[in-house]
Amino acid sequence: MSSNTADKIREAAHDLIAARGYFGFSYADVAEVVGIRKASIHHHFPSKVDLVVAALVQYRADMVAAAKGLDSKVVDPLQRLKLYVQHWEECIRNSNRPICIAALLSAELPALPDPIKAEVQLHFRYLAGWVKSTLRDGAKYGSIHLEHSAEVEAQSFVAVVHGAMLSARALGTPDVFTSISKAALDRLRPSN
Amino acid sequence: MSSNTADKIREAAHDLIAARGYFGFSYADVAEVVGIRKASIHHHFPSKVDLVVAALVQYRADMVAAAKGLDSKVVDPLQRLKLYVQHWEECIRNSNRPICIAALLSAELPALPDPIKAEVQLHFRYLAGWVKSTLRDGAKYGSIHLEHSAEVEAQSFVAVVHGAMLSARALGTPDVFTSISKAALDRLRPSN
DNA sequence: GCATCTATTCCTACTAGTAGGTAGTCTAAG
DNA sequence: CTTAGACTACCTACTAGTAGGAATAGATGC
């Protein structure tokens, strides 16, 4: 029923946020990508805040779905984290949304409108929560060894993945993401 | 001899970049903070790119000086890294430039003018290089145990610190930076 | 079958405000 | 009497957002 123009606009916005951040793109940029006029975007998303919030809501929904998918289809929790990392590695190598938009927006956070701030926070909370429970599952399952509390290990894992995205972007080398994230996964193995 | 207005402008720019990123601040913002008119800034820094590059050059000079200071005054390499992390912890707790501007700008990198890109890259290279040689020194000194290569461990350390800055900003809790960085340092100890 | 009503979607044309940057002037100090 | 540093006044380009009209398509009444 719903036209997919709104979807196209939201996806274009996601791409542009991933490339340039909140202040780095305009309605004109979105209009050019989608192939419609600037004013038409306002019909679907009255304000820029609405558009970015919509992109973040969709982004989180996708993440939740992917996490649930991993939880139900992959037995080994360590393998789930490996697949999570692998997903980002592919995005970075293909230059396809090669960074988490919530992580990117968190950098600009103090300047962002409150509704966007709230969505970014929700993403961080959900992601850290999923990693934490996955780490706990892995400890029980026997494939993961936790040096510190699950909470601290989860926050560290999220941080190192986000930091690795920044380094890969800064240095222009996807390899640096690969080696950092491999090391982060390796460190969770009980054989150490 | 040189007026300190230029310094004030550069410092105001640094603060604003740390708060909002490259596209998130304007000459008008800088003018208001410094207490001069917009046009006067152009006298000292002809373009916004010049201003931001100057801020990054100064930022890196300060980092190099601080690193050399640590190298000469602190015997234990692990302690040097601890002090590096502590510096950022204080910045975050006092909300005083609570994020590395190079890390922040790396998020917006694809949209940044080339001269700024280059400065951001230089920062990442120098920082990773310093951490790497500090890790090697620590391994020789005996206070640091390296699980992987010094290169990978250094990149991981840089990434986790940057990621922790993002998490602290996103969640609004300095504590999360503290616990992540403590865990990162702890992991380097040979007692494990 | 055909006209009409309604809602959706996109358009052109516009607004007020802000962006970075420029031209030219005034002032004070060496 | 030149120069540095600040100013007023302005420019063009772009920002998010608005007003109102044209085209489309689906449902309804006769």
Side-chain angles (χ1 to χ4, degrees):
Chain A
M1 198 63 218
S2 74
S3 78
N4 64 356
T5 302
D7 295 339
K8 280 185 198 164
I9 293 170
R10 209 185 42 230
E11 282 168 23
H14 186 136
D15 293 348
L16 286 163
I17 296 166
R20 314 185 198 168
Y22 181 74
F23 300 102
F25 82 100
S26 72
Y27 267 44
D29 298 321
V30 177
E32 200 186 345
V33 172
V34 178
I36 67 178
R37 297 289 152 160
K38 231 180 38 163
S40 306
I41 301 172
H42 286 282
H43 171 75
H44 298 279
F45 302 96
S47 80
K48 193 178 180 182
V49 173
D50 294 323
L51 173 54
V52 174
V53 165
L56 282 166
V57 166
Q58 182 66 47
Y59 178 56
R60 201 171 65 255
D62 291 347
M63 173 180 64
V64 170
K68 285 199 198 303
L70 286 177
D71 289 347
S72 66
K73 281 173 205 145
V74 181
V75 182
D76 179 4
L78 181 62
Q79 184 65 15
R80 289 179 209 151
L81 294 176
K82 207 171 188 168
L83 288 167
Y84 164 73
V85 161
Q86 213 166 74
H87 158 76
W88 281 112
E89 201 183 323
E90 280 162 24
C91 290
I92 292 168
R93 291 206 180 274
N94 304 334
S95 296
N96 170 245
R97 298 179 174 182
I99 202 165
C100 166
I101 57 169
L104 194 161
L105 292 174
S106 73
E108 302 174 321
L109 204 79
L112 297 179
D114 286 338
I116 298 179
K117 269 190 212 178
E119 285 303 322
V120 170
Q121 271 201 10
L122 276 176
H123 177 92
F124 270 82
R125 281 197 224 288
Y126 183 88
L127 177 59
W130 178 74
V131 172
K132 184 163 133 184
S133 66
T134 306
L135 288 174
R136 280 194 179 133
D137 289 356
K140 211 176 289 180
Y141 182 81
S143 63
I144 289 176
H145 165 74
L146 295 178
E147 200 71 37
H148 306 90
S149 70
E151 173 66 26
V152 168
E153 293 278 8
Q155 292 290 359
S156 296
F157 187 82
V158 169
V160 81
V161 170
H162 287 162
M165 289 172 184
L166 294 184
S167 292
R169 176 159 273 194
L171 299 170
T173 54
D175 288 352
V176 80
F177 179 84
T178 304
S179 54
I180 292 172
S181 54
K182 266 203 164 43
L185 287 167
D186 193 59
R187 169 175 122 60
L188 295 172
R189 262 189 270 277
S191 49
N192 291 347
Chain B
M1 199 62 220
S2 75
S3 78
N4 62 358
T5 301
D7 295 339
K8 281 186 198 165
I9 292 170
R10 210 187 40 232
E11 283 167 22
H14 186 135
D15 292 348
L16 285 163
I17 296 165
R20 315 185 199 166
Y22 180 74
F23 300 102
F25 83 100
S26 72
Y27 266 43
D29 298 322
V30 177
E32 200 187 345
V33 172
V34 179
I36 66 178
R37 298 287 153 165
K38 231 178 41 161
S40 307
I41 302 172
H42 285 284
H43 173 73
H44 298 279
F45 302 97
S47 80
K48 193 179 181 181
V49 174
D50 296 321
L51 174 54
V52 174
V53 166
L56 282 166
V57 166
Q58 182 65 47
Y59 178 57
R60 201 172 66 254
D62 292 347
M63 173 180 63
V64 171
K68 284 199 198 304
L70 286 177
D71 289 348
S72 66
K73 282 174 203 144
V74 181
V75 182
D76 179 4
L78 180 62
Q79 184 65 16
R80 288 179 210 153
L81 294 176
K82 207 170 187 169
L83 287 168
Y84 164 74
V85 160
Q86 215 167 70
H87 158 76
W88 280 112
E89 202 183 322
E90 280 162 23
C91 290
I92 292 168
R93 291 205 181 273
N94 304 333
S95 296
N96 169 246
R97 297 178 173 183
I99 202 165
C100 166
I101 57 169
L104 195 163
L105 292 174
S106 73
E108 302 173 321
L109 204 79
L112 297 180
D114 286 338
I116 298 179
K117 267 191 213 178
E119 287 301 323
V120 170
Q121 271 201 10
L122 276 175
H123 177 93
F124 270 82
R125 280 197 226 285
Y126 182 89
L127 178 59
W130 179 74
V131 172
K132 183 163 132 185
S133 66
T134 305
L135 289 174
R136 280 193 179 136
D137 290 355
K140 214 177 287 179
Y141 182 80
S143 63
I144 288 176
H145 166 74
L146 295 177
E147 200 73 35
H148 306 90
S149 71
E151 173 67 25
V152 168
E153 294 277 9
Q155 292 290 359
S156 296
F157 187 81
V158 168
V160 81
V161 170
H162 287 163
M165 289 173 184
L166 294 185
S167 292
R169 176 159 271 194
L171 300 169
T173 55
D175 288 352
V176 80
F177 179 84
T178 304
S179 55
I180 292 172
S181 53
K182 267 202 165 40
L185 287 167
D186 193 59
R187 168 175 122 61
L188 294 172
R189 262 189 269 279
S191 50
N192 291 348

